[in-house]
Amino acid sequence: MRLPWLSLSVLALGACGDSAGGTTHTSPPLAPLDGVDGSTSGPGAGDDAGGSTGVDSGWPDAAPTPPVSCTGKTGGKGDLTLSLTSGGLARTSLLHVPPSYDPTQGTMVVVDYHGFSSDAAQEVLLTNMNPVADAKGFVVVTPYGLGQGWNAGDCCTELQPPSVDDVQFTKDLLALVSSQYCVDPRRVYATGMSNGGFLSHRLACAMADTFAAVAPVAGVLGIPPEQCTPSRPVPVLDFHGTGDPVVPYDGGPAAKLLPPITFRSVPDTMAFWRTADACLGAPVVTYQQGVVTCTRWSDCSGGVDVELCTVDGGGHQWPGSSIVVPGLGNGTTDVDATARIVDFFLAHPM
């Protein structure tokens, strides 16, 4: 399925950057742990394009957390719209509440952030998260970014009103959801595509006391590492294609963006999270099929995990999505990112 409007949703990233002359946000590379450069041991090495090594170590559901009970929660089920004011600005989000939702029992919540120049409705189609929510019994919140973007560091604020604080907006949004729905505070998660993936990284830095885990797709850490000081170790699952023309896997200027922005690399981003989470063990390949290799570091502080799923030759796409954005490189069905993200979240409560 190819939708022309999605090509605009990411190509419009060309408007990003902090100044007309472009923005560079790089930092000295963090030393990889145990000699691993973060790019896995050769994604897809030894595989045919459609082959599989048979390695597929998924995430079992975690042991149940102590029950959370509520009274007086009156939020409805189905597909709804939430409106609030944050920082003096009107904000809107889409809300999906599964049929199985019980207003007396604590419920998992996933916040899913769209890419720059996209919107919440497009993100719902891209990730196909809502049917998974119905099957697994969790709530999905898909916000609209002001100016169709998020203030996530390197990108993207040009179309936003001045001084938009999307971290504070996220806090206000979750407060609103919690006022109407029975939310389990130990099972609140963030994911997102591209600029939304950048924001997921930033939220792990700034709201580690709220988000139990994050799962960015096609986004890297967009703030200087010294400004990312999570209050606790954060589980991170990251998806990225080595042929991404918008956010290059190895970092550097993005070929499709004007003015140019120099992004941090995926290896440096993952090395940062392994350092922040004090991951000491050797990487283990946990999933390998076709062009996709997922590598996990599990010997981390607080029992958390860090995992990188690399799509060899993959573009600026959501792996497993039926939507492949024209002009932004290869998609893949060798892994269902949405399903793996949800499994990761279920395995990592606070």
Side-chain angles (χ1 to χ4, degrees):
M1 179 179 184
R2 293 176 180 267
L3 300 181
W5 45 259
L6 268 175
S7 65
L8 297 176
S9 76
V10 189
L11 285 172
L13 271 165
C16 296
D18 291 342
S19 66
T23 298
T24 301
H25 286 300
T26 58
S27 61
L30 294 165
L33 301 183
D34 298 326
V36 178
D37 67 3
S39 59
T40 79
S41 55
D47 290 343
D48 295 330
S52 171
T53 64
V55 176
D56 183 1
S57 177
W59 295 99
D61 290 359
T65 57
V68 173
S69 60
C70 302
T71 58
K73 302 297 183 180
T74 59
K77 300 179 183 180
D79 294 307
L80 307 164
T81 299
L82 292 176
S83 298
L84 72 152
T85 300
S86 178
L89 299 167
R91 307 298 300 261
T92 304
S93 302
L94 300 181
L95 181 71
H96 181 80
V97 183
S100 61
Y101 166 72
D102 182 344
T104 69
Q105 302 296 319
T107 301
M108 172 174 147
V109 173
V110 174
V111 188
D112 183 9
Y113 297 90
H114 61 74
F116 180 67
S117 195
S118 184
D119 60 33
Q122 293 177 2
E123 184 74 359
V124 168
L125 295 175
L126 180 69
T127 67
N128 203 34
M129 186 75 69
N130 291 355
V132 182
D134 288 344
K136 299 286 188 177
F138 62 90
V139 169
V140 184
V141 186
T142 313
Y144 283 88
L146 290 179
Q148 295 184 286
W150 306 104
N151 188 351
D154 290 343
C155 194
C156 298
T157 61
E158 268 56 40
L159 301 181
Q160 291 185 321
S163 304
V164 173
D165 187 342
D166 285 314
V167 174
Q168 184 60 50
F169 163 63
T170 296
K171 294 177 181 179
D172 295 340
L173 174 61
L174 289 173
L176 176 61
V177 173
S178 296
S179 73
Q180 299 180 12
Y181 292 89
C182 189
V183 174
D184 185 343
R186 291 158 296 196
R187 297 189 295 142
V188 179
Y189 305 93
T191 186
M193 172 67 190
S194 188
N195 183 208
F198 278 81
L199 184 60
S200 300
H201 282 293
R202 186 167 192 172
L203 293 173
C205 301
M207 295 180 63
D209 58 340
T210 298
F211 287 104
V214 299
V217 176
V220 295
L221 184 67
I223 62 175
E226 61 271 19
Q227 295 180 14
C228 181
T229 55
S231 59
R232 51 172 280 274
V234 182
V236 176
L237 169 60
D238 193 278
F239 289 81
H240 216 107
T242 62
D244 190 325
V246 178
V247 184
Y249 190 92
D250 292 322
K256 288 195 175 279
L257 303 189
L258 293 172
I261 302 173
T262 299
F263 290 125
R264 188 168 287 103
S265 72
V266 173
D268 281 354
T269 294
M270 300 312 292
F272 168 80
W273 283 116
R274 297 198 308 272
T275 300
D277 289 344
C279 300
L280 301 177
V284 175
V285 173
T286 56
Y287 179 94
Q288 193 165 53
Q289 179 161 323
V291 298
V292 178
T293 299
C294 298
T295 302
R296 183 182 306 164
W297 292 262
S298 293
D299 188 8
C300 308
S301 180
V304 309
D305 300 280
V306 173
E307 180 164 304
L308 170 64
C309 291
T310 298
V311 183
D312 189 20
H316 198 71
Q317 312 285 358
W318 186 279
S321 178
S322 62
I323 297 171
V324 178
V325 186
L328 294 181
N330 298 327
T332 184
T333 57
D334 288 339
V335 68
D336 184 337
T338 297
R340 195 166 184 89
I341 286 168
V342 171
D343 287 346
F344 182 78
F345 288 165
L346 289 169
H348 292 90
M350 186 79 76

